[in-house]
Amino acid sequence: MCGIVGYLGNKNALGPVVDGLKALEYRGYDSAGVAYINSDSCTVIKRVGRVETIEKLVDKEKATPHLAMGHTRWATHGAPTTVNAHPHFNHDKTIMVVHNGIIENFQVIKNRLIELGYQFATETDTEVVPHLIEYHFKQSGSFEDAFEKAVSELEGAFSIVAISSLALGQLFAARLSSPLVLGVGEDEFILASDPSAIMEHTKKVIYLEDYELAIISKKGYKIRNFKRAAVVEKTAEELDFDLEHAALDDFPNFMLKEIFEAPQTIKLATLGRIRPKSGTVKLGGLVDVKDKLKEVQRLIIVACGTSYYAGLVGEYLIEELAHIPVEVQLASEFKYRFEPFSPSTAVLAISQSGETADTIAALKKVEGRNMLRLGIVNAVGSTVARMTDAGVYCHAGPERAVASTKAFIAQVCVLAEIGLHFGNGKIRDRKRFLQELDSLPKKAEQLLTQVDKIRQIAEKYTRFSNFLYIGRRYGYPCALEGALKLKEITYIHAEGYAAGEMKHGPLAMIDKNFATFAIAPDCQVLEKVYSNISEIKARGGPIVAVATEDNRQIKKLVDDVIYIPKTIEQLNPVLVAIVIQLFAYYAAIKLGKNVDRPRNLAKSVTVE
Ligand code: G6P
């Protein structure tokens, strides 16, 4: 959740560290801080608020250190206060630590250290780390040794970076279940939670794996496995990441930019993979497991948040296109279930970031069970991508706004491709399906020209404090995702519901103050959706609907309609997604909310 950067090199280290924190701010933005070593002492600057607050303070610093680190926080243990902000340090401020993750056994360690006379100033789990390193340093006199001993004692999930005036000119890092990447540049090293903070400096990276620690000095880096107490030989790999994609261009924020990238996102998710003329789909990422795929008789999709809702669309798609039973499970629940699996069950993890702790834990659960583990991931080289046996990248480019938009669209496209790939020959109108998929970027472009109308309607509905999103079949996961988008960025209470279930409870809430967003594009069950809409209308509920162009009938049933271009039912979710994203976006803007950085949330949730 939190973002970490560390720098050692010829430049003034505060520059790359602050820039890196800005790139990682999507991971958490309650508070931020930096620490650096100049000559032989440590300095810490930390505050509640955004990285820009720290940047202003750093700009006033006269020091030009070559060794520094920084942190942007999403609070887990302890309120977001300046005291709880990272870096954390020992009593005499000789050891500085930043941490992402949760140290599950921190209380046990803390109690032990308190008994030994150590004093704690914060409510965080992280603060045990500098004290623990100090404790081991006093025993052995070697900082390298003390760092390794300390991290070996920690349980839970962590990526840790440390600097110390007791180990001048060295940068220390360790990882367990929380991402950490080392960039190896010309005469410089940069450590970060993800490559976006590194790519400006170098494209050569080393992904630290679980139980690995790195000790970095100007001469080079040493990597050790702290579980096995052994040296690990690793060489840098080339990063495949496009810096251009991360810029804001002329958009006021990343969320709008990313919604407007929908046409391009669909193109990139389908490029070179679909061949409408021959009716074939080629997924290079699945070639290696071709034979194993043929044996799959049950598919479990695991994911969180928006990726989970994309998974629900995938359930309908894959069952219909490939005739394979599919279940979608929240990764956070899947991990703690006891259910029987057979080797013919495959698990498919969907994750934009590839770093979501619950999704990673779900994959770990099925490790060693001889089950095929597949992935649909956006972030190239991320943990989920590396943990799975095979997979398909979304190629949506970096997604910066906390609320996921283009990633959902790419995930649905990839799920459709996987459905076709699995179901080779099982559906008759395969060519038509692929032609529709191929024409989707144009339709998305066409839809985006209606943005003003969507804005006006969204603004009108901001007076409601309660919303139900309803849909059936492919419209049902869209309803869930629509409600999530609205609550994430406007903080308006919204629930997604299967339209057919309204009469089993939710109808009781409907009155003139309770708004409904109906997902009603052309589909097999449109008449039934009309009935559900009528039931709401009859009780005075205001309704806005998304429907397929040329549907005049719906105008009579609802208060406002947003039209999408005509496509096949299975691909409606891609176009509907653009509408629900824009609707939530403009409602949030009207309400004066920070759409890129909604309160209490983080882009990459690396704690369970
Ligand atoms: C966070 C983000 C969501 C995202 C979810 C899953 O909650 O704010 O936008 O859908 O994590 O993330 P993933 O990277 O695994 O798709």
Side-chain angles (χ1 to χ4, degrees), residues 481-499:
E481 171 60 6
L484 177 65
K485 281 284 99 53
L486 196 74
K487 55 190 153 199
E488 268 179 306
I489 58 166
T490 66
Y491 320 149
I492 292 174
H493 167 240
E495 277 183 65
Y497 235 88

Side-chain angles (χ1 to χ4, degrees), residues 102-105 154-158 176-177:
I102 292 179
I103 297 166
E104 285 170 359
N105 60 338
L154 307 179
E155 288 166 16
F158 55 82
L176 177 62
S177 300

Side-chain angles (χ1 to χ4, degrees), residues 304-307 350-354 356 359 402-404 411 488 602-603 605:
C304 304
T306 290
S307 298
I350 307 179
S351 177
Q352 185 287 126
S353 62
T356 302
T359 310
V402 165
S404 188
Q411 288 162 347
E488 268 179 306
K603 180 75 182 157
V605 184

